[in-house]
């Protein structure tokens, strides 16, 4: 259950990072105003890049939950490490 919640909470950040990487790899223009044409192999991916970069706004809203999942996973890892060390 915790893994599924983590994936759901972190997915917008991963999609935003993918969009950011694609923008830089393709050299296309992207901003919050609107989708700009971006041809890659004859296919316009401007709308896709716009949608991926708009995930950044969801990241802003989900940041507290992202930090919470990070703290919980650190706690799980530390508990496992201490348990292995003590046994």
């Amino acid at each position: 259950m915790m893994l599924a919640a983590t994936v759901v909470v972190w997915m917008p950040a991963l999609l935003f990072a993918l969009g950011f990487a694609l923008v830089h790899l393709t050299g296309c223009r992207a901003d919050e105003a609107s989708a700009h044409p971006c041809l890659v192999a004859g296919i316009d991916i401007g709308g896709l890049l716009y949608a991926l970069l708009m995930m950044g706004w969801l990241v802003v809203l989900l940041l507290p939950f992202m930090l919470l999942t990070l703290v919980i996973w650190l706690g799980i890892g530390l508990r496992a490490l201490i348990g292995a060390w003590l046994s």
Side-chain angles (χ1 to χ4, degrees), residues 11-58:
M11 189 57 64
L14 297 174
L15 292 173
F16 175 74
L18 174 65
F20 193 72
L22 285 173
V23 165
H24 286 286
L25 286 173
T26 59
C28 293
R29 180 177 163 211
D31 57 29
E32 305 86 26
S34 64
H36 300 285
C38 176
L39 291 178
V40 174
I43 300 171
D44 182 18
I45 63 166
L48 173 66
L49 292 177
Y50 179 75
L52 289 174
L53 291 176
M54 287 301 105
M55 291 292 155
W57 290 110
L58 279 177

Side-chain angles (χ1 to χ4, degrees), residues 7 25 82:
V7 169
L25 286 173
I82 291 171

